[in-house]
Amino acid sequence: MGDSKDFKTAIMDKKKAPNRLVVDDALNDDNSVVCLSPAKMEELNVFRGDTVILKGKKGRDTVCIVLSSEETDDANIRMNKVVRKNLRVRLGDIVTVVPKEDVPYCKKVHILPVDDTIEGVSGNLFDAYLKPYFLEAYRPVRKGDLFLVRMAMHPVEFKVVEMDPAPYG
């Protein structure tokens, strides 16, 4: 009779899925970074600066750099609004974190601005927005992702249309 009680309450027992984490708001506003607690990073065997794939809703995924944050709970992952939008998740949703080794450097990337964000912007978008955003920084991107660049008091949203090699780089 004692065994049947275990089956009745088994659904209440928390499953052990260390790579499934609750989405929390980011402390910094970087499109390329997610934050985990030091204990969670050790559990997932990832280190500061490692690249991870985040899997969200509707089969959406993206690639980010993982950083350590003491303010993050072990069950949470901190990401900014742009990353959440790419994953189609909101605060409190669950995402899956998978370490990704050997993300190749892109030979070429085709990036286009989102039309309604460039109204009133003149000049060379590459020199004014993209070059400073990617220069001196490791920013992994995924084909189909959107990212926001804040420069010159006017944020512009861009989309990764094509890349070589695809889908991550």
Side-chain angles (χ1 to χ4, degrees):
M1 213 49 176
D3 290 339
S4 65
K5 184 177 187 281
D6 293 339
F7 288 120
K8 290 176 186 172
T9 60
I11 196 166
M12 290 186 266
D13 293 338
K14 191 173 182 181
K15 292 181 180 174
K16 296 290 181 194
N19 63 338
R20 292 180 49 85
L21 302 169
V22 179
V23 174
D24 199 359
D25 200 14
L27 299 172
N28 63 352
D29 197 29
D30 193 328
N31 303 329
S32 307
V33 171
V34 294
C35 292
L36 298 174
S37 69
K40 182 55 74 176
M41 286 178 67
E42 190 172 320
E43 184 180 1
L44 295 175
N45 199 24
V46 293
F47 300 96
R48 184 182 190 282
D50 279 2
T51 308
V52 292
I53 291 182
L54 305 171
K55 297 181 181 181
K57 289 188 173 174
K58 301 181 181 106
R60 296 290 303 188
D61 64 346
T62 191
V63 60
C64 286
I65 300 165
V66 67
L67 294 179
S68 172
S69 170
E70 295 287 343
E71 295 91 38
T72 307
D73 292 337
D74 287 349
N76 291 3
I77 181 168
R78 292 187 179 271
M79 62 183 72
N80 78 350
K81 188 175 182 179
V82 174
V83 178
R84 292 195 303 267
K85 186 177 177 182
N86 285 329
L87 291 172
R88 309 289 195 269
V89 295
R90 297 186 189 143
L91 296 176
D93 286 349
I94 304 289
V95 295
T96 304
V97 180
V98 180
K100 175 75 172 158
E101 295 182 18
D102 302 328
V103 175
Y105 286 103
C106 289
K107 294 177 183 77
K108 58 183 173 182
V109 182
H110 188 174
I111 297 172
L112 292 176
V114 176
D115 196 32
D116 60 346
T117 63
I118 58 169
E119 289 175 7
V121 177
S122 60
N124 187 336
L125 289 176
F126 177 77
D127 289 336
Y129 289 89
L130 292 176
K131 190 174 179 182
Y133 181 75
F134 285 104
L135 196 66
E136 305 281 330
Y138 173 59
R139 296 195 183 270
V141 292
R142 186 198 193 290
K143 183 179 172 183
D145 273 359
L146 294 166
F147 61 94
L148 191 67
V149 181
R150 291 178 178 86
M151 298 277 179
M153 299 299 291
H154 191 90
V156 175
E157 197 168 22
F158 293 92
K159 182 172 184 171
V160 180
V161 180
E162 194 63 54
M163 56 193 297
D164 179 31
Y168 304 107

